[in-house]
Amino acid sequence: MMMERVTTDICVIGGGSGGLSVAAGAVQMGARVVLLEGGKMGGDCLNYGCVPSKALIAAARAAHGMTSGSRYGVAPVEPRVDYAAAKDHVAGAIAAIEPHDSQERFEKLGVRVIREYGRFVSRTEVQAGETVVKARRFVIATGSSPFVPPIPGLEDIPYLTNESIFDLRERPGHLIVVGGGPIGLEMAQAHRRLGSEVTVLEGLKALGKDDPELAATVLDRLRRENIEIVEDAAVEKVSGGRGSVSVMTKGGASYSGTHLLMAVGRKVNIEGLDLDRAGVAHDRAVKVDASLRTTNRRIYAIGDAAGGLQFTHVAGYHAGVIIRSMLFGLPARATYLHVPWATYTDPELAQVGLTEAQARDQYGDGLEVVRFAFSDNDRAVAEGNTDGLVKVMAVRGRPVGVGIVGSHAGELIQVWALAMANRLKIGAVAAMVAPYPTRGEANKRAAGAYFAPRLFANPLVKRVVRIVQNWIP
């Protein structure tokens, strides 16, 4: 059979959030674009990650609300959870967003969409099924998938990952989660609130990449909701079958449940790309420079494929960086100090820039840390939900990192992400007028806490005030 040959300006390999952003932006600005995707359009975020997980968390929050109203004078009741219906809500959320990421939409924009996986056959060509695409520029946007470690016995039992748990229609009786990172803990809390018993096994420290002070607030809440979290519990082997799973950790402890979720991390999807044929250096991910170019200057890598922070919004940010370079020939570099991330447990945990430990390593005695607790925020008090705080790491009046733990932390962190992206000083946040009463006031009050000792504990300020007061008639 004859191969079809296509010539284009840009060939995007991968139809997840980053690849779709590049394709949409480039074609609407006049470039010819070919998009290759052998799996589902929308990638992991739409089908297995961000969207379904947040939809399931919303269902779990509704169930939890029925059990936690006594402090408001509302008698708690045991919710009757229809787990399959909760999954229907998840499927409905995906279906509502799907058209935005669909092949039909992108073809209407002018993108040539080929529903095949691509592999390089030369430095300037990719083969996808029965089509060979020659392009001026290529973008590797293949994302990542669940990493499943080679644990003895795992290959012999059924287990879940984030790619299969949302297909489950019957509620787990006792879910064992291996991995205490964001994905593992989000799914642990959601399933506990929907009625499952849950045990989390973490080989090191749960939420170990986050600020320990902030992570402790999340872990305390989860434990109060009767989620068993076992740290320093590296899994040694597993056994059992459908509906009955046993997990043994180093040291001999054993944990039994009905279902097993593996949530220990992600691996980059670069197998099958034949990167060596394209002259693209790689190890666990594609090697890129600050402009996201690979060792083949015609080829870029973005999102998870480029290594580093594995977030949907980072892939979207990368798309903007390389579009400036590919379409306009402008210098563009990716930087990350202003990139926030969030864990959507209840309470949420969000961070932008450096944690306290990272900032102390970098700035030493030049670092100042200020905090404002939600227990001093009137909206949080009125709502009876005061767990958490805003924590600001500052150097010479500029935030170098901010962490927030508490209700809506993922929303609240955006003010600080804006400030850091535009190199604003803390005074810009302090000068903000926030509507009362809102949780957003906590950001303003945290900024004010930075200036408080400079104003209220400064003898010179007090002397100036007395002089002015005595002078003014």
Side-chain angles (χ1 to χ4, degrees):
M1 185 173 292
M2 292 289 293
M3 284 283 180
E4 179 187 9
R5 295 191 171 271
V6 176
T7 300
T8 190
D9 296 318
I10 298 171
C11 178
V12 181
I13 308 172
S17 57
L20 294 180
S21 295
V22 171
V27 76
Q28 291 179 92
M29 286 188 278
R32 296 173 300 165
V33 180
V34 172
L35 173 68
L36 312 179
E37 176 53 71
K40 292 184 177 182
M41 294 287 285
D44 187 84
C45 180
L46 172 62
N47 298 289
Y48 313 116
C50 315
V51 172
S53 65
K54 303 315 165 279
L56 191 67
I57 286 169
R61 185 183 300 114
H64 180 68
M66 298 179 68
T67 70
S68 56
S70 58
R71 56 186 168 173
Y72 307 110
V74 179
V77 296
E78 192 65 29
R80 295 171 59 186
V81 174
D82 184 335
Y83 187 78
K87 289 301 183 66
D88 290 340
H89 166 67
V90 171
I94 295 172
I97 298 172
E98 242 172 2
H100 186 268
D101 293 351
S102 67
Q103 178 175 345
E104 292 76 16
R105 173 176 178 257
F106 278 80
E107 287 178 337
K108 286 180 180 179
L109 290 174
V111 177
R112 168 76 183 273
V113 180
I114 300 174
R115 300 303 296 275
E116 299 281 356
Y117 292 108
R119 63 180 181 86
F120 285 96
V121 293
S122 73
R123 295 178 65 88
T124 60
E125 294 175 312
V126 163
Q127 182 176 334
E130 298 173 358
T131 305
V132 173
V133 180
K134 183 174 183 178
R136 293 172 56 83
R137 299 286 183 268
F138 290 91
V139 180
I140 300 170
T142 48
S144 63
S145 54
F147 170 68
V148 179
I151 298 172
L154 191 60
E155 69 278 5
D156 299 323
I157 67 169
Y159 62 87
L160 301 165
T161 69
N162 75 293
E163 291 187 349
S164 56
I165 194 168
F166 298 109
D167 293 329
L168 199 64
R169 301 291 293 177
E170 295 183 3
R171 180 178 63 196
H174 188 154
L175 179 65
I176 298 179
V177 181
V178 178
I183 295 173
L185 293 184
E186 286 178 6
M187 288 297 94
Q189 188 178 41
H191 280 82
R192 180 71 191 102
R193 289 180 166 188
L194 290 170
S196 300
E197 295 295 319
V198 179
T199 298
V200 178
L201 304 177
E202 166 56 47
L204 297 171
K205 298 297 179 186
L207 294 177
K209 294 183 179 180
D210 290 287
D211 186 310
E213 179 183 6
L214 307 182
T217 300
V218 176
L219 298 176
D220 178 66
R221 173 76 70 85
L222 268 57
R223 288 183 169 116
R224 281 190 276 136
E225 293 186 15
N226 295 317
I227 297 171
E228 184 181 18
I229 301 174
V230 187
E231 299 179 305
D232 300 314
V235 175
E236 193 167 63
K237 63 180 180 179
V238 298
S239 60
R242 187 171 299 278
S244 180
V245 176
S246 293
V247 180
M248 182 171 290
T249 61
K250 291 180 180 178
S254 182
Y255 302 87
S256 297
T258 60
H259 294 73
L260 178 64
L261 171 63
M262 299 301 298
V264 296
R266 311 279 299 171
K267 63 181 180 66
V268 175
N269 297 328
I270 56 174
E271 295 179 6
L273 285 175
D274 285 347
L275 295 175
D276 293 335
R277 289 194 176 190
V280 174
H282 59 93
D283 42 31
R284 65 173 188 83
V286 180
K287 293 185 177 181
V288 296
D289 61 17
S291 65
L292 301 171
R293 271 182 162 154
T294 71
T295 47
N296 181 335
R297 302 289 289 173
R298 293 177 175 269
I299 301 173
Y300 296 78
I302 64 172
D304 292 4
L309 298 175
Q310 294 184 329
F311 303 116
T312 296
H313 50 284
V314 171
Y317 165 62
H318 282 173
V321 171
I322 68 168
I323 281 177
R324 289 195 294 275
S325 175
M326 290 192 302
L327 298 189
F328 301 106
L330 299 174
R333 298 166 62 88
T335 60
Y336 300 98
L337 188 61
H338 64 296
V339 175
W341 63 91
T343 298
Y344 297 96
T345 47
D346 179 13
E348 294 180 1
L349 192 161
Q351 180 75 37
V352 62
L354 305 176
T355 65
E356 180 180 359
Q358 292 168 337
R360 289 202 182 282
D361 286 344
Q362 187 166 334
Y363 294 103
D365 293 339
L367 176 70
E368 294 181 66
V369 180
V370 294
R371 297 169 175 81
F372 183 79
F374 283 118
S375 57
D376 292 322
N377 174 264
D378 291 357
R379 180 63 177 271
V381 172
E383 293 179 342
N385 188 357
T386 58
D387 287 350
L389 73 153
V390 179
K391 180 177 180 180
V392 181
M393 278 59 69
V395 177
R396 295 187 294 277
R398 294 188 188 277
V400 297
V402 179
I404 304 177
V405 61
S407 180
H408 302 293
E411 310 293 335
L412 296 173
I413 200 69
Q414 295 176 36
V415 167
W416 296 103
L418 174 69
M420 293 180 65
N422 292 279
R423 297 188 54 79
L424 301 179
K425 290 192 173 184
I426 291 179
V429 179
M432 173 186 69
V433 178
Y436 176 89
T438 59
R439 285 182 175 267
E441 285 184 288
N443 284 328
K444 179 180 174 68
R445 294 285 298 275
Y450 175 81
F451 294 104
R454 291 164 170 80
L455 294 174
F456 305 140
N458 189 330
L460 178 60
V461 171
K462 294 183 178 181
R463 285 199 299 271
V464 170
V465 169
R466 292 314 314 156
I467 291 170
V468 172
Q469 294 304 306
N470 291 331
W471 175 73
I472 295 176

